[in-house]
């Protein structure tokens, strides 16, 4: 696809408020009514306690769908609600408060992964890799490079928002194109394609940990490794790049028209952002790439038949130390190349620099750790009270009663995730709330947790770019105001809406084609269907 807009409109930016602007104002108003996510989870945890008391008072129960003899199944074949509003419940709350937090699977995985990412940020490896990807791309493919670079930057969490999105504006400006269009292309890749990637990132172990917690409400032994969606998300990378490039060139850039530099809030200088990658940085990248190859060779050797990273009992990769320890490999594959790169270019001169990078990464997770504490209590209380299992069985029975037990169930599920994401922009926060309900529910009608998680990620990603509740939305708006001091939330959302709509439409089709049309696995050692009690 040629990197030239389909038309060169000279119309001014669209600032009028139509029906969509009014809708956005309503969404923003409703979103502002919500308390802080930490307070929200505290309220959810308290709500579970109160509901459990009422459910226990009325002896709420459902028939357990698991076969006789299944682990965790009661003797009479019923699932009863457990009240936390009595003496026994109080003892469970008090005794489990700390372990609920420390045993919450996503916490440790994110902390370990971010240690490696922190060193990569400290060394400058991530920044120069993004610069090389974008600036070395042929001019006619610069938009595709920005979208693809945005998708790949998700491996390093917020690096795409902080580095690539503002840099994209300056790149477009230097090429005589509208800087907001450049920011939109990068933002679409970073946020709209949040779940797609060619690499395993920090979000993968985070979501898989929550999915595992939810799946174990039905099957206590069920394991969900971090790479369960890898094949599907790697394929989705190319889908998002193609669709994002099309929307940028055919819809967004022509609509924005010719840029007026007088709109800038400050003097714009592109020299530093567009500074070419130096010879020393190139050498550092080559050495880092060589270290990655060495690591891959070592891991590949240990994955051979009889290798240390295979399942010691079955000699398979399924449930092997490799898949169970994927977070450790994320850490290593960030740490080693980053140290090598830093040594070459001089950004890492001693061990203290490595420690500083890790410490800085940990310092940025303060709010996340507080959030996880309350999220962990909510998930634990939900599990203790059996409310998740009761809701799942009831919901599954309802789906069976209306005949919606086939693959079409994922369409309303994905749309529901899209809507919830407008109000609760954090992927982990949203999944922590919805997974305990929908993972068991859809497992009971025959779908695997891995497929359910993949469907969730489509809904969670596609509306990121149009919700002011997304944690980095304010940062994007601040960057955009450098180029247009009068820009507002409505302008950002109306610019990004075409990405959201086409991403959703095309991604759903891609999901059905991949999973149910071709029957392709969505990740290593995964299945499409789940047999309760199987």
């Amino acid at each position: 696809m040629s990197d030239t807009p389909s038309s060169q409109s000279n119309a001014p930016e669209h600032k009028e408020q139509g029906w969509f602007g009014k809708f956005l104002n309503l969404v923003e108003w409703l979103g502002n009514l919500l308390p802080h996510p930490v307070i929200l989870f505290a309220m959810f945890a308290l709500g579970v306690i109160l509901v459990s008391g009422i459910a226990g008072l009325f002896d709420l129960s459902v028939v357990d769908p698991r076969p006789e003899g299944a682990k965790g199944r009661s003797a009479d074949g019923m699932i009863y609600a457990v009240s936390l509003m009595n003496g026994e419940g109080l003892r469970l709350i008090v005794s489990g408060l700390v372990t609920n937090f420390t045993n919450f699977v996503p916490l440790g995985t994110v902390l370990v992964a971010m240690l490696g990412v922190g060193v990569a940020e400290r060394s400058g490896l991530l920044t120069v890799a993004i610069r090389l990807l974008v600036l070395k791309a042929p001019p006619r493919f610069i938009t595709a490079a920005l979208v693809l670079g945005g998708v790949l930057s998700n491996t390093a969490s917020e690096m795409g928002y902080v580095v690539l999105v503002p840099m994209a504006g300056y790149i477009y400006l230097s090429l005589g194109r509208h800087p907001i269009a450049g920011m939109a292309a990068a933002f679409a890749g970073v946020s709209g394609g949040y779940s797609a990637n060619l690499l395993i990132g920090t979000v993968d172990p985070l979501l898989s940990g929550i999915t595992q917690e939810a799946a174990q409400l039905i099957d206590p032994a069920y394991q969900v490794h971090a790479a369960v969606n890898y094949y599907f998300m790697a394929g989705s990378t190319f889908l998002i790049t193609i669709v994002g490039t099309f929307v940028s060139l055919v819809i967004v850039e022509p609509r924005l028209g010719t840029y007026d530099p007088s709109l800038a809030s400050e003097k714009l200088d592109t020299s530093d952002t567009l500074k070419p990658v130096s010879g020393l940085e190139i050498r550092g990248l080559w050495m880092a790439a060589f270290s990655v190859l060495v690591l891959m060779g070592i891991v590949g050797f240990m994955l051979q038949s009889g290798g240390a990273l295979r399942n010691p009992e079955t000699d398979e990769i399924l449930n092997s130390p490799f898949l169970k320890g994927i977070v450790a490999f994320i850490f290593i594959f960030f740490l080693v190349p980053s140290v090598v790169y830093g040594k070459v270019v001089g950004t890492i001169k001693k061990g203290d620099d490595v420690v500083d990078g890790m410490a800085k990464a940990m310092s940025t997770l303060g709010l996340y750790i507080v959030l996880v504490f309350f999220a962990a209590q909510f998930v634990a209380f939900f599990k203790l009270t059996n409310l998740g299992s009761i809701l799942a069985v009831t919901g599954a029975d309802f789906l069976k009663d209306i005949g919606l037990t086939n693959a079409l169930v994922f369409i309303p599920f994905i749309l529901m995730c899209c809507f919830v994401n407008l109000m609760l922009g954090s992927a982990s926060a949203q999944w922590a709330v919805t997974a305990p309900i929908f993972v068991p529910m859809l497992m009971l009608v025959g779908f695997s947790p891995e497929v359910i998680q993949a469907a969730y990620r489509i809904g969670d990603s596609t509306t990121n770019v149009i919700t002011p509740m997304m944690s980095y939305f304010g940062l994007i708006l601040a960057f955009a105001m450098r180029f247009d001091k009068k820009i507002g939330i409505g302008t950002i959302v109306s610019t990004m809406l075409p990405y959201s709509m086409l991403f959703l439409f095309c991604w759903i089709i891609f999901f059905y084609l991949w999973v149910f049309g071709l029957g392709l696995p969505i990740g290593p050692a995964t299945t499409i269907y789940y047999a309760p009690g199987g």
Side-chain angles (χ1 to χ4, degrees), residues 115-117 119-120 330-340 354 358:
L115 288 173
V117 173
V119 179
I330 294 175
F331 169 70
I332 294 170
F333 273 77
F334 268 110
L335 176 65
V336 175
S338 299
V339 171
V340 171
V354 176
M358 294 182 178

Side-chain angles (χ1 to χ4, degrees), residues 243-307:
V243 176
T245 302
F246 172 82
V247 172
S248 296
L249 299 178
V250 176
I251 301 175
V252 172
E253 193 167 357
R255 178 177 181 271
L256 289 173
T258 302
Y259 176 61
D260 181 2
S262 66
L263 295 173
S265 61
E266 59 188 49
K267 184 179 179 180
L268 300 175
D269 182 6
T270 63
S271 60
D272 189 51
T273 305
L274 297 176
K275 180 176 157 185
V277 179
S278 69
L280 182 61
E281 290 172 327
I282 292 292
R283 182 168 177 265
L285 284 173
W286 277 113
M287 295 302 294
F290 177 74
S291 69
V292 170
L293 290 176
V294 172
L295 289 174
M296 291 176 64
I298 294 173
V299 172
F301 175 76
M302 290 189 288
L303 280 175
Q304 293 184 16
S305 181

Side-chain angles (χ1 to χ4, degrees), residues 290-488:
F290 177 74
S291 69
V292 170
L293 290 176
V294 172
L295 289 174
M296 291 176 64
I298 294 173
V299 172
F301 175 76
M302 290 189 288
L303 280 175
Q304 293 184 16
S305 181
L309 293 180
R310 282 186 172 258
N311 189 312
E313 297 179 358
T314 64
D315 197 37
E316 296 177 343
I317 296 181
L318 179 65
N319 293 324
S320 66
F322 173 71
L323 291 182
K324 291 181 179 179
I326 196 70
V327 178
F329 293 101
I330 294 175
F331 169 70
I332 294 170
F333 273 77
F334 268 110
L335 176 65
V336 175
S338 299
V339 171
V340 171
Y341 175 84
K343 284 289 186 181
V344 172
V345 302
T347 52
I348 292 181
K349 298 180 179 178
K350 52 185 180 180
D352 289 352
D353 295 329
V354 176
V355 176
D356 288 343
M358 294 182 178
K360 185 176 179 180
M362 291 297 101
S363 69
T364 64
L365 294 176
L367 179 59
Y368 171 75
I369 293 174
V370 175
L371 176 66
V372 163
F373 174 78
F374 290 99
Q377 307 309 322
F378 164 72
V379 171
F381 295 168
F382 214 59
K383 185 174 183 179
L384 283 172
T385 59
N386 285 335
L387 291 178
S389 298
I390 292 173
L391 281 173
V393 173
T394 304
D397 289 342
F398 173 74
L399 292 176
K400 292 176 182 177
D401 290 340
I402 66 175
L404 193 59
T405 58
N406 54 31
L408 292 178
V409 73
F410 285 104
I411 293 179
F413 173 64
I414 292 172
L415 294 177
M416 181 278 301
C417 293
C418 289
F419 178 76
V420 173
N421 193 48
L422 291 173
M423 302 297 177
L424 193 61
S426 167
S428 57
Q430 183 189 160
W431 195 224
V433 172
T434 54
I437 298 173
F438 289 100
V439 169
M441 181 187 300
L442 296 179
M443 284 176 68
L444 290 177
V445 297
F447 296 103
S448 72
E450 295 86 353
V451 169
I452 300 167
Q453 178 180 290
Y456 161 75
R457 296 177 77 167
I458 295 173
D460 171 68
S461 297
T462 49
T463 52
N464 274 338
V465 293
I466 61 171
T467 172
M469 299 302 294
M470 197 271 294
S471 56
Y472 288 98
F473 193 93
L475 183 65
I476 300 302
L477 180 60
F479 285 144
M481 292 181 70
R482 294 179 182 178
F483 302 106
D484 184 351
K485 56 181 176 289
K486 295 182 180 180
I487 202 168

